[in-house]
């Protein structure tokens, strides 16, 4: 499939989606969201992909939010279907069994922050800016910001960002635990790819189970979450990777994880 609004590449088990509307700071219009959805479907069914990296074209922006020229034409009905379809796509991203890393290389505003926080973690360049500026447009976050942001940085800080619409710097985002690492822009992809390669070398089933245990556990009480972990731990033994990992340690060699279930 030829994409026009994203660039989709796969190299050594690492897929990269680059939002590619630099003239509009990679704002999310309908065609871009449709392509993102197709690319996520392709990734979900490709056994060879171990990690997904999302980033933005150019050196100024990751994603500057939904395309405001489209938002300006909405009525309530259209807003509902747009928000619902955005949620479906972002949910596809969140429930991927592989790891998704956001490489935020500039503005991540509105839908940009919402995509980034649906990833497993975020690395940001020093010039990155985060925010939920929807309030300045007379609306509210519509792609999960009111739900995922408070879960990530706490209710009161999320409310302050959503109610004021202000932008925060990469350094502030680091302090809030919104991003894991801040690096100079020219080193962002190198740092992300270094971490992606480490993750890609691990067992596929254990990665999937670890991700699902954390994700599911965050939405339930501790006892239920611990139950989820017990089942996930046991499921790892359905993959030869558990045998390989433990044998490699005992034989003092590097584990070679093949993934897959027995
Ligand atoms: N939509 C459309 N075009 C955009 C957007 C956008 N979100 N952001 C920037 N652009 C365009 C500008 O219009 C401009 O185009 P042109 O050159 O043709 O005039 C070009 O990109 C460059 O932008 P600026 O000249 O404004 O660049 P600056 O460096 O001066 O400013 C900013 C950069 C601060 C990022 C500024 O562009 C800005 O504030 N952009 C809007 C950010 C925003 O409000 N985003 C949130 C959108 S709402 C949202 O994401 C909700 C998601 C869920 C919706 C669900 C609802 C149903």
């Amino acid at each position: 499939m030829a994409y026009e609004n994203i660039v989709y590449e796969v190299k050594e088990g690492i897929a990269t989606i680059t939002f590619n509307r630099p003239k509009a700071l990679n704002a999310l219009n309908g065609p871009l969201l449709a392509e993102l959805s197709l690319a996520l479907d392709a990734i979900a069914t490709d056994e060879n992909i171990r990690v997904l990296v999302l980033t933005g074209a150019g050196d100024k922006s990751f994603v500057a939010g939904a395309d405001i020229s489209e938002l300006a034409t909405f009525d309530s009905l259209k807003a509902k279907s747009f928000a619902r379809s955005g949620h479906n796509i972002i949910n596809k991203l969140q429930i991927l069994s592989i790891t998704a890393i956001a490489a935020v290389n500039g503005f991540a505003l509105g839908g940009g922050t919402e995509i980034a926080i649906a990833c497993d973690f975020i690395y940001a360049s020093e010039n990155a800016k985060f925010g939920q500026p929807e309030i300045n447009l007379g609306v509210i976050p519509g792609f999960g910001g009111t739900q995922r942001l408070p879960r990530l940085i706490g209710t009161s800080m999320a409310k302050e960002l959503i109610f004021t619409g202000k932008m925060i710097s990469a350094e502030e985002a680091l302090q809030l635990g919104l991003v894991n690492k801040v690096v100079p822009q020219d080193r962002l992809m190198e740092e992300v790819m270094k971490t992606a390669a480490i993750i890609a070398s691990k067992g596929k089933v254990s990665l999937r189970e670890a991700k699902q245990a954390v994700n599911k556990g965050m939405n339930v009480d501790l006892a239920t979450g611990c139950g989820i972990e017990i089942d996930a731990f046991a499921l790892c033994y359905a993959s030869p990777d558990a045998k390989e990992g433990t044998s490699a340690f005992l034989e003092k060699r590097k584990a070679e994880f093949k993934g897959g279930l027995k």
Side-chain angles (χ1 to χ4, degrees):
M1 147 106 209
Y3 296 106
E4 288 176 9
N5 298 281
I6 61 170
V7 179
Y8 176 54
E9 297 161 302
V10 183
K11 208 172 153 195
E12 291 168 9
I14 301 171
T16 306
I17 293 176
T18 306
F19 300 108
N20 192 29
R21 299 184 66 219
K23 285 190 182 139
L25 303 185
N26 305 320
L28 306 166
N29 64 2
L32 186 153
L33 286 167
E35 291 180 16
L36 175 61
S37 180
L38 285 174
L40 291 171
D41 290 341
I43 289 165
T45 53
D46 189 332
E47 286 293 308
N48 298 315
I49 298 175
R50 318 298 286 259
V51 179
L52 166 64
V53 173
L54 292 116
T55 194
D59 55 9
K60 204 173 160 187
S61 184
F62 173 71
V63 167
D67 192 307
I68 296 170
S69 59
E70 286 188 1
L71 293 187
T73 66
F74 288 0
D75 57 18
S76 277
L77 267 183
K78 177 72 186 140
K80 191 159 189 173
S81 75
F82 184 74
R84 185 173 284 138
S85 108
H87 270 272
N88 285 341
I89 296 166
I90 289 180
N91 195 42
K92 279 186 194 182
L93 171 61
Q94 179 156 22
I95 65 171
L96 278 178
S97 62
I98 60 163
T99 306
I101 307 173
V104 173
N105 57 317
F107 293 112
L109 302 175
T113 284
E114 290 166 307
I115 287 177
I117 62 178
C119 292
D120 294 304
F121 55 87
I122 304 172
Y123 281 10
S125 55
E126 285 166 346
N127 64 319
K129 295 251 186 301
F130 295 82
Q132 298 284 171
E134 290 87 346
I135 210 82
N136 300 327
L137 302 169
V139 294
I140 68 165
F143 287 172
T146 63
Q147 302 306 305
R148 290 192 182 89
L149 196 60
R151 283 169 169 79
L152 196 58
I153 63 171
T155 316
S156 38
M157 190 49 79
K159 281 179 176 166
E160 185 176 335
L161 291 182
I162 293 167
F163 297 172
T164 62
K166 72 179 180 187
M167 284 189 239
I168 56 166
S169 67
E171 206 48 50
E172 288 169 286
L174 182 68
Q175 281 163 22
L176 290 175
L178 183 60
V179 313
N180 282 10
K181 197 173 204 175
V182 178
V183 294
Q185 189 166 51
D186 59 355
R187 283 197 18 236
L188 178 64
M189 287 313 279
E190 182 189 326
E191 288 293 321
V192 169
M193 289 302 174
K194 232 191 273 173
T195 299
I198 292 172
I199 294 170
S201 74
K202 311 295 182 194
K204 197 169 183 168
V205 172
S206 47
L207 282 172
R208 182 195 68 201
E209 291 307 315
K211 173 168 173 167
Q212 288 187 2
V214 174
N215 282 358
K216 288 182 188 164
M218 288 308 290
N219 294 316
V220 296
D221 63 89
L222 182 62
T224 310
C226 291
I228 289 170
E229 183 184 88
I230 291 166
D231 290 343
F233 180 77
L235 246 173
C236 292
Y237 282 83
S239 164
D241 285 342
K243 191 85 200 145
E244 168 61 10
T246 49
S247 303
F249 177 82
L250 295 172
E251 292 160 16
K252 300 192 185 306
R253 62 177 174 83
K254 194 170 180 298
E256 287 206 21
F257 296 116
K258 301 271 190 304
L261 296 170
K262 267 193 286 206

